[in-house]
Amino acid sequence: MKANNVETTDLRKAALSLVLMMGIVSLFSDMTHEGAKSIYGDFLSLAGASAAVIGFVSGLGEFIGYALRLVTGYLADKRRNYWQMTFIGYAVNMLAIPLLALTVPNGWLWASLLIVSERVGKAIRQPSKATIVSFSSSQVGTGKAFALQEFMDQIGAFSGPVLLFLVIYFKPGSQALFDAYRLGFLALLIPALLTLYFLYRAKVKFPNPEQFESDSVRGSRLILKRPFILFLVAISFLAFGFIDFPILTMHVARLGVLPAAALPLLYAWAMLVDAFAALAFGWLFDKKGFSVLLFSSLFSVAFAPFAFLSESVTGIMIGVTLWGIGMGAQESVLKAAVAALVPKENRSSGYGLFETSFGLFWFLGSWLMGVLYGYSLPAMVTVSVVAQSIAIVCLLFLRKK
């Protein structure tokens, strides 16, 4: 069903249908790659990789996965092949994970290549996918559309680690654990294939999603206007100061306040909080606009002191909950903000620039936080709080504009 064949009164219903279908795609895709991500580190270790290799592979994968979006976003805008880029990216992203089941003992190089490939796949599809959702959001509401996406996305991100936890739980022991991980990767083939199936259904039903949104001022390239530049500066500081979850789980493991087997469930809880926070903040964005960015950033600022300066389970759980709230707001409201700031003809490029900036400073911040963790916890927390406070100041100026 093409959008231009739908009566005006039914446009919103059709657009909502597309958002929900893409939400189902997100649910199964996050179940696949977030489930796999929760055991990447230990799996590489059992496959023979050193700590240095694990750190390099993780950092390289995330950096490439974000930096490449600048190129893929530009290409999608130039060719207007949003569905094609999305499908290619998801195919690489999804199929790389079940192939990890073929990893043999000491096969860390094969596993490393697949992990990096999975990130490359996400880089290919992410700007185009966000652009498709942004087209339908003009009918549904920008905040609501991305909130629904993130909610379903994080339900999958919650379910994936839980699934692998159950697999690991029933196969204890060192060598059996390596086999259990491989079995878990193989089990993730099911949600991976469901991802591609529902993506194909969405493409067939809505081949021209850009017709949901009326034309805006056309341009052959992204024009960096002052509000968008200020937005990029703000989200860069926000990403720089937002401490990555692996550092938190390492900290909790060193404290010994929770058993090691519970760490995947800690991440699952953060993902569940993320889901409901995204839903709430997305709805608020349509009512309050950029003021919601300020409010949500306050949760990000508060998470580090609770998570890293407290040695109690209660304090850590408050920190993890605040981390999930901050992440949920980022994943929904920030994407909605790009749709509000960038015209449709340049939007995939806008998402590529946004994702690249966010990912680069996330990588640099995580690297610095890891160094500071070994030096001084108060220093690490201070840098986190200061960086995100600068982001809040930038957002104050953005709201005025």
Side-chain angles (χ1 to χ4, degrees):
M1 178 179 63
K2 295 183 179 181
N4 60 346
N5 292 329
V6 181
E7 296 295 334
T8 304
T9 54
D10 293 332
L11 271 179
R12 186 178 183 277
K13 181 178 179 181
L16 180 60
S17 178
L18 175 57
V19 170
L20 291 174
M21 291 184 76
M22 294 303 291
I24 294 172
V25 170
S26 294
L27 188 153
F28 286 117
S29 69
D30 257 53
M31 186 175 181
T32 306
H33 66 73
E34 291 293 350
K37 186 178 180 180
S38 69
I39 60 171
Y40 274 166
D42 199 28
F43 180 72
L44 284 173
S45 178
L46 292 174
S50 65
V53 168
I54 294 172
F56 178 79
V57 169
S58 300
L60 179 65
E62 290 299 326
F63 178 71
I64 292 176
Y66 277 101
L68 192 59
R69 297 179 197 190
L70 189 61
V71 178
T72 58
Y74 169 77
L75 291 175
D77 270 339
K78 186 176 182 179
R79 300 183 179 182
R80 300 289 189 265
N81 58 345
Y82 302 115
W83 279 121
Q84 183 180 358
M85 293 287 285
T86 303
F87 204 91
I88 291 172
Y90 266 116
V92 175
N93 186 212
M94 292 294 97
L95 298 182
I97 292 170
L99 288 174
L100 285 166
L102 301 178
T103 306
V104 298
N106 296 317
W108 60 269
L109 182 58
W110 163 260
S112 298
L113 289 172
L114 287 173
I115 288 172
V116 173
S117 297
E118 182 261 314
R119 294 288 88 187
V120 170
K122 186 169 184 178
I124 294 171
R125 53 93 167 171
Q126 189 63 20
S128 295
K129 178 211 170 186
T131 302
I132 290 171
V133 176
S134 75
F135 291 149
S136 57
S137 72
S138 63
Q139 300 293 329
V140 178
T142 307
K144 294 184 183 69
F146 283 101
L148 283 170
Q149 280 286 293
E150 181 62 12
F151 178 78
M152 299 178 76
D153 193 292
Q154 295 313 110
I155 294 299
F158 168 79
S159 304
V162 171
L163 171 64
L164 292 189
F165 168 77
L166 294 174
V167 174
I168 295 166
Y169 181 80
F170 289 108
K171 288 187 77 71
S174 179
Q175 184 58 36
L177 181 59
F178 182 72
D179 292 337
Y181 283 159
R182 295 199 300 171
L183 180 61
F185 290 131
L186 187 61
L188 292 175
L189 177 63
I190 297 174
L193 292 177
L194 287 172
T195 300
L196 298 178
Y197 169 74
F198 282 107
L199 181 64
Y200 173 75
R201 289 288 305 273
K203 179 183 181 298
V204 170
K205 191 170 184 180
F206 301 100
N208 299 303
E210 62 271 19
Q211 295 182 18
F212 281 117
E213 184 174 340
S214 59
D215 290 338
S216 56
V217 179
R218 293 189 175 274
S220 59
R221 61 187 178 89
L222 178 63
I223 300 174
L224 294 178
K225 295 184 178 180
R226 187 172 298 175
F228 188 60
I229 294 174
L230 191 57
F231 173 74
L232 291 178
V233 173
I235 63 101
S236 296
F237 276 106
L238 194 66
F240 187 87
F242 199 79
I243 302 172
D244 208 357
F245 205 82
I247 297 177
L248 177 56
T249 53
M250 178 186 68
H251 176 68
V252 174
R254 290 186 177 184
L255 285 178
V257 294
L258 290 172
L263 294 181
L265 297 181
L266 196 66
Y267 184 68
W269 167 251
M271 294 297 97
L272 189 62
V273 173
D274 180 331
F276 286 97
L279 205 58
F281 283 115
W283 248 259
L284 285 172
F285 181 83
D286 288 336
K287 296 180 178 296
K288 303 295 183 180
F290 286 90
S291 298
V292 177
L293 283 171
L294 286 168
F295 182 62
S296 63
S297 297
L298 294 175
F299 289 98
S300 300
V301 172
F303 118 81
F306 279 102
F308 291 96
L309 299 182
S310 172
E311 295 186 0
S312 68
V313 174
T314 301
I316 290 170
M317 289 305 298
I318 291 174
V320 170
T321 302
L322 291 173
W323 188 94
I325 293 173
M327 180 59 72
Q330 290 176 21
E331 291 291 335
S332 59
V333 177
L334 293 184
K335 291 176 182 177
V338 175
L341 289 168
V342 182
K344 63 183 286 190
E345 292 79 14
N346 306 128
R347 193 163 298 152
S348 196
S349 297
Y351 276 113
L353 188 55
F354 156 70
E355 299 273 9
T356 300
S357 300
F358 191 87
L360 174 61
F361 282 90
W362 182 291
F363 172 69
L364 293 174
S366 296
W367 186 15
L368 177 61
M369 298 304 173
V371 173
L372 290 176
Y373 181 88
Y375 172 71
S376 168
L377 278 178
M380 182 190 73
V381 170
T382 300
V383 170
S384 173
V385 170
V386 169
Q388 293 181 86
S389 297
I390 294 173
I392 290 175
V393 173
C394 293
L395 291 172
L396 278 169
F397 283 105
L398 179 64
R399 185 183 66 169
K400 292 179 181 179
K401 291 182 180 300

